[in-house]
Amino acid sequence: MLRSMSAFPSSPRIAALVLAGGTGIRMGGEDKPLLPLSETQVVLDFVLAALRPHCAALAISANGDASRFVTWNLPVLPDTQADIGPLAGILEGLLWAETQDCSVLITVPGDTPFIPAGLPQQLLPAPAVAVSGHRQHHLVASWPTACRPALQAWLKQPEHKNKRRIRCFAATLGVRDVVFPEQTPDLFFNINTPDEYAYARKLVREGLTHA
């Protein structure tokens, strides 16, 4: 007998948040997501291209003047809690994802231009964290929007050494590792220095990326 359609699990509605709140100190204060990688595209374009086909909603986590992202016509979510780091951005992302009727939030740093195109699906079911080269990339992760109250409670704790560490909060959710193949460049290579920026531009110019 054929099973009814309701017997099959449906795919979750996914939202994605690009974390663009870093100060870029080692890049002279540059907005790393806005650095040109080709004649027509900046780092953010590469990140969004990998996420857009799989996500029902996209937003950018960033403080300061939101108009610098106007070209992309996406919501820009500022932190409402100061001095917390990326967890503050993830909280705002979870709150926003709930308003989009999404049950999963994917987070990706805005300076990782070579993420794989199928990343959102590969990080299901949530919670999950990307791993490559025996290293966990805790900003490249999937979060069930249902964990939002747990994160709010976590951030209301008295100050302690692990309060701002994503990996420590993720561990409370039972996050699982999703291991990606080791490649060159690493799928989660991120731009932190002028030398790394030059390397990324060279890879794009020579067509050596995985896209």
Side-chain angles (χ1 to χ4, degrees):
M1 178 183 294
L2 290 174
R3 298 168 67 187
S4 67
M5 291 298 292
S6 61
F8 293 92
S10 59
S11 297
R13 184 174 164 87
I14 302 171
L17 181 70
V18 179
L19 298 166
T23 57
I25 293 174
R26 285 182 284 174
M27 286 294 297
E30 292 273 3
D31 254 326
K32 294 187 289 183
L34 302 183
L35 292 170
L37 277 189
S38 71
E39 291 184 4
T40 59
Q41 294 180 301
V42 300
V43 175
L44 182 59
D45 290 317
F46 283 72
V47 176
L48 293 175
L51 298 173
R52 186 171 278 114
H54 310 281
C55 299
L58 294 165
I60 299 168
S61 169
N63 297 309
D65 185 2
S67 68
R68 66 194 193 275
F69 298 108
V70 69
T71 299
W72 292 273
N73 193 31
L74 294 174
V76 179
L77 312 178
D79 295 345
T80 58
Q81 297 192 39
D83 302 321
I84 297 296
L87 280 175
I90 293 171
L91 175 58
E92 297 306 319
L94 290 168
L95 289 164
W96 162 78
E98 289 180 324
T99 71
Q100 305 302 305
D101 296 321
C102 292
S103 59
V104 174
L105 177 71
I106 303 291
T107 56
V108 176
D111 61 358
T112 54
F114 307 134
I115 57 172
L119 178 69
Q121 258 68 27
Q122 290 168 287
L123 291 177
L124 296 180
V129 60
V131 177
S132 66
H134 306 289
R135 177 189 171 197
Q136 291 179 314
H137 303 276
H138 280 100
L139 293 180
V140 184
S142 62
W143 310 88
T145 54
C147 79
R148 186 262 306 161
L151 179 53
Q152 288 177 316
W154 176 269
L155 294 177
K156 287 179 181 177
Q157 295 178 91
E159 201 59 44
H160 59 85
K161 67 177 183 178
N162 293 328
K163 182 175 178 179
R164 294 174 176 81
R165 293 178 177 172
I166 296 176
R167 64 178 175 82
C168 294
F169 171 68
T172 69
L173 304 178
V175 68
R176 63 188 181 85
D177 290 350
V178 177
V179 180
F180 288 80
E182 294 186 37
Q183 301 182 35
T184 302
D186 188 281
L187 293 169
F188 308 108
F189 165 86
N190 64 310
I191 298 168
N192 284 316
T193 66
D195 284 347
E196 289 170 344
Y197 175 43
Y199 176 62
R201 285 178 59 88
K202 178 178 183 290
L203 291 172
V204 171
R205 184 172 62 250
E206 297 180 359
L208 299 177
T209 68
H210 310 298

